[in-house]
């Protein structure tokens, strides 16, 4: 049997906290590298810019930019540039001076000529490659001549010092993070462990409770986020306590009700045994004893059947298995089954309503439970109706299609208004009647009505013309809702 993998709340929260942290850390390294490059370039770019301006002023002083430059002026410019651009142990420096027509005046011819915008008074910077080495170039376009041409001054420096400074910045920022990150993970772990400790305490409190303890769980020290869950559990415990109490009460009543027929059965059997042992038993007494035994066993069997019907009506899984039910056909079939009993008691039992199969007399329900409801209503009416009376079962479709009505009317003694709610309680029987029964029939009807969302009403029947009874009888009306019925499944 495959088992479902259980997810750890602690692990899931930890994952959602650490995963973004571990994802953001490489991004932080990349951003730090870019910032470090920018920071490392600023002082060296400023220095290159100063050098470009100095050489530009020297070139202007020596008149190096005309079309024909003298060799003496060129050598003087190169000598001044060499003194200014002193290389160090880390980087190499290159410079280039071009005339207004693009001719090389002094410096290195390997430096590429930029192709950007018009001359400006401020130096510009770019990254380039010279002799297979990356360099940082500062350049300045000088003033235009009469033909619109401009001279160019460039100074290039290799980037070893810049890279070294950027690396030092990265180390200064990243290395502390290697210490801070594990500490942060440890602190997150400890914080989560401390945060979910109330859940562990709640778990221990629930585990230590006795199986019979259905009292509410104390929620005073429960975290706010868990309080709704504890409230739901307390609500479930309350409903479970009520259900168990109702079952205990029901079982106690059932045991008390079963005690009477079983005790009578035992008494009659012992009486018959003593008469036979004493040689006093005759045919009439034996028949009487056997008749009482049969009656007691019949009562016990009826009680057991009613208890089974009650359990079936309370079965939630049974209630969920609903389908299309022809109520008219169910009532007609039930009336036919009770015709022999009605004839035995000289009661006129009949049916009024549409024929079986009519579309308007159908509902969405549990067929077994609906049949049990109709049987209990008809049987209850026959039990309380005296000889010569009338029992009528009706099915009345609603012309507006909202409900389907089931009615069972009798000409019995009727039910007092004060008792009309109590008769649906288990083992309750109306006062002033000597009818033999278990007191479960109407309780079963009520339970089945609740399963189907139906409403039950008890009213007085109308007195029939020529009736000599002082009471009109009772009418049980069950209204099944049709507005939310589900479509039949094929």
């Amino acid at each position: 049997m495959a088992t479902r993998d259980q997810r750890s709340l602690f692990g899931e929260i930890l994952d959602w906290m650490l995963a973004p942290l571990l994802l953001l850390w490489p991004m932080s390294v990349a951003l730090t590298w870019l910032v470090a490059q920018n920071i490392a370039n600023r002082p060296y770019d400023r220095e290159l810019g100063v050098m470009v301006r100095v050489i530009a002023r020297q070139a202007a002083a020596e008149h190096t930019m005309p079309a024909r430059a003298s060799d003496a002026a060129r050598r003087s410019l190169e000598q001044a540039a060499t003194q200014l651009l002193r290389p160090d142990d880390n980087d190499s420096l290159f410079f280039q001076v071009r005339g207004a027509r693009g001719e090389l005046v002094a410096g290195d011819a390997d430096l590429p000529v930029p192709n950007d915008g018009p001359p400006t008074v401020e130096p510009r910077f770019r990254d380039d490659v010279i002799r297979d080495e990356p360099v940082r170039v500062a350049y300045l376009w000088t003033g235009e001549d009469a033909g619109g041409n401009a001279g160019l001054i460039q100074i290039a420096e290799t980037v070893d010092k810049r890279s070294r400074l950027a690396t030092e910045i990265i180390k200064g920022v990243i290395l502390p993070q290697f210490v801070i990150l594990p500490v942060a993970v440890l602190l997150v772990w400890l914080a989560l462990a401390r945060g979910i400790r109330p859940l562990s305490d709640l778990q221990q409190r629930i585990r230590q409770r006795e199986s019979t303890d259905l009292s509410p769980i104390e929620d005073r020290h429960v975290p706010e986020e868990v309080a709704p869950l504890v409230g739901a559990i307390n609500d479930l415990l309350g409903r479970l306590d009520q259900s168990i109490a109702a079952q205990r009460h029901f079982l106690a009543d059932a045991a008390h009700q079963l005690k009477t027929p079983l005790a009578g059965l035992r008494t009659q059997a012992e009486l018959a045994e003593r008469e036979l042992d004493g040689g006093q038993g005759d045919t009439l007494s034996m028949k009487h004893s056997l008749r009482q035994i049969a009656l007691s066993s019949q009562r016990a069997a009826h009680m057991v059947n009613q208890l089974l019907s009650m359990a079936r009506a309370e079965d939630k899984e049974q209630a969920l298995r609903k389908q299309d039910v022809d109520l008219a056909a169910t009532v007609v079939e039930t009336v036919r089954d009770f015709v022999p009993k009605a004839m035995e008691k000289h009661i006129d039992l009949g049916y009024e309503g549409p024929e079986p199969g009519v579309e308007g007399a159908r509902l969405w329900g549990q067929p077994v439970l609906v049949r049990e409801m109709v049987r209990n209503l008809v049987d209850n009416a026959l039990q309380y109706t005296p000889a010569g009376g009338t029992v009528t079962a009706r099915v009345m479709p609603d012309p507006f299609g909202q409900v389907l009505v089931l009615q069972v009317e009798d000409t019995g003694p009727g039910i007092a208004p004060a008792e009309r709610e109590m008769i649906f309680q288990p083992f309750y029987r109306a006062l002033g009647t000597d009818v033999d029964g278990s007191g479960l029939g109407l309780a079963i009807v009520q339970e089945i009505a609740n399963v189907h969302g139906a409403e039950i009403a008890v009213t007085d029947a109308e007195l029939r013309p020529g009736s000599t009874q002082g009471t009109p009888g009772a009418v049980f009306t069950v209204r099944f809702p049709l507005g939310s019925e589900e479509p039949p499944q094929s």
Side-chain angles (χ1 to χ4, degrees):
M1 180 179 178
T3 58
R4 184 180 64 87
D5 294 336
Q6 291 184 335
R7 296 188 301 172
S8 168
L9 180 62
F10 180 87
E12 190 164 348
I13 296 177
L14 192 64
D15 289 344
W16 279 103
M17 293 185 68
L18 294 183
L21 184 62
L22 296 177
L23 178 64
L24 291 174
W25 186 72
M27 297 175 60
S28 173
V29 172
L31 291 176
T32 303
W33 173 258
L34 294 177
V35 173
Q37 291 285 350
N38 186 34
I39 294 175
N41 279 333
R42 287 179 184 176
Y44 296 110
D45 284 352
R46 190 178 300 112
E47 184 179 356
L48 284 180
V50 171
M51 293 179 182
V52 167
R53 290 190 185 94
V54 171
I55 293 178
R57 286 195 296 267
Q58 183 69 25
E62 297 292 343
H63 304 287
T64 57
M65 305 308 289
R68 293 183 177 182
S70 63
D71 291 340
R74 183 182 297 110
R75 285 193 299 269
S76 176
L77 180 60
E78 289 179 351
Q79 184 178 2
T82 302
Q83 292 177 355
L84 179 64
L85 306 177
R86 295 177 180 177
D88 52 26
D89 297 336
N90 298 318
D91 288 314
S92 300
L93 287 168
F94 309 92
F95 83 99
Q96 182 186 85
V97 179
R98 291 186 177 272
R101 297 183 180 180
E103 74 277 8
L104 180 64
V105 175
D108 301 287
D110 296 339
L111 275 172
V113 177
N115 54 359
D116 54 357
T120 61
V121 296
E122 294 295 332
R124 297 177 181 176
F125 300 90
R126 74 175 188 275
D127 295 319
D128 215 323
V129 177
I130 181 172
R131 300 171 189 172
D132 297 330
E133 282 191 86
V135 293
R136 181 71 169 172
V137 182
Y139 61 97
L140 180 65
W141 295 96
T142 61
E144 300 178 355
D145 61 6
N149 299 317
L152 174 64
I153 299 174
Q154 297 189 96
I155 297 178
E157 182 182 33
T158 54
V159 296
D160 291 343
K161 289 185 297 185
R162 300 167 184 263
S163 299
R164 185 173 301 172
L165 178 58
T167 302
E168 292 298 326
I169 296 174
I170 289 291
K171 288 180 180 180
V173 175
I174 299 300
L175 288 180
Q177 293 185 7
F178 281 104
V179 179
I180 295 174
L181 189 61
V183 174
V185 172
L186 179 61
L187 292 178
V188 169
W189 182 286
L190 295 176
L192 282 178
R194 177 66 181 85
I196 67 172
R197 185 178 300 171
L199 295 180
S200 301
D201 296 340
L202 178 62
Q203 175 190 1
Q204 293 299 324
R205 284 160 49 192
I206 294 176
R207 286 184 179 276
Q208 292 171 1
R209 292 168 69 98
E210 297 292 336
S211 59
T212 56
D213 185 7
L214 297 179
S215 61
I217 301 172
E218 177 62 43
D219 59 354
R220 184 170 51 187
H221 302 293
V222 171
E224 182 180 355
E225 292 76 12
V226 187
L229 176 61
V230 176
I233 294 176
N234 287 337
D235 182 64
L236 176 62
L237 290 176
R239 288 186 279 117
L240 184 60
D241 190 20
Q242 293 178 358
S243 176
I244 293 177
Q247 290 181 4
R248 288 174 180 170
H249 180 71
F250 178 78
L251 290 176
D253 290 342
H256 177 73
Q257 294 292 330
L258 282 173
K259 187 186 300 183
T260 301
L262 293 178
L265 181 64
R266 179 179 178 180
T267 300
Q268 294 297 328
E270 290 177 351
L271 179 61
E273 182 181 7
R274 284 198 302 267
E275 290 180 351
L276 288 175
D277 291 341
Q280 301 176 357
D282 55 7
T283 303
L284 293 178
S285 62
M286 290 300 297
K287 283 184 178 181
H288 177 73
S289 297
L290 291 175
R291 190 179 300 110
Q292 293 300 320
I293 291 174
L295 181 60
S296 297
S297 62
Q298 181 180 359
R299 291 175 179 173
H302 179 70
M303 173 70 68
V304 171
N305 289 333
Q306 292 289 73
L307 290 174
L308 292 176
S309 298
M310 191 74 177
R312 185 166 55 243
E314 294 176 347
D315 185 4
K316 301 302 181 182
E317 294 185 1
Q318 174 86 0
L320 292 176
R321 296 191 290 268
K322 295 182 179 180
Q323 61 189 53
D324 189 37
V325 179
D326 188 345
L327 183 60
T330 301
V331 175
V332 170
E333 179 183 350
T334 303
V335 169
R336 288 174 180 172
D337 292 341
F338 279 97
V339 166
K341 183 176 181 178
M343 294 179 63
E344 182 181 350
K345 296 187 65 175
H346 304 286
I347 296 174
D348 182 11
L349 175 62
Y351 166 75
E352 295 179 1
E355 294 294 326
V358 175
E359 185 65 27
R362 310 181 75 88
L363 60 90
W364 187 254
Q366 217 295 321
V368 176
L369 298 184
V370 173
R371 184 178 296 107
E372 190 69 27
M373 170 188 280
V374 177
R375 290 184 63 86
N376 278 279
L377 287 174
V378 174
D379 182 58
N380 180 77
L382 292 175
Q383 288 283 358
Y384 286 90
T385 300
T390 303
V391 174
T392 304
R394 300 188 185 93
V395 175
M396 298 182 293
D398 182 15
F400 299 100
Q402 298 298 319
V403 295
L404 182 60
V405 179
L406 167 66
Q407 269 191 357
V408 177
E409 180 181 355
D410 61 60
T411 56
I415 302 173
E419 293 186 278
R420 289 176 182 176
E421 292 185 1
M422 295 184 289
I423 59 175
F424 294 103
Q425 299 177 3
F427 305 110
Y428 181 86
R429 279 174 285 190
L431 300 176
T433 60
D434 55 355
V435 177
D436 187 18
S438 63
L440 286 174
L442 294 181
I444 295 172
V445 170
Q446 179 67 69
E447 189 67 31
I448 296 174
N450 294 338
V451 168
H452 290 80
E455 296 180 356
I456 301 180
V458 182
T459 57
D460 292 331
E462 296 182 1
L463 284 173
R464 298 176 180 271
S467 175
T468 59
Q469 300 186 72
T471 55
V475 179
F476 288 81
T477 304
V478 184
R479 292 179 174 85
F480 293 94
L482 299 179
S484 60
E485 70 178 63
E486 303 175 43
Q489 299 179 359
S490 58

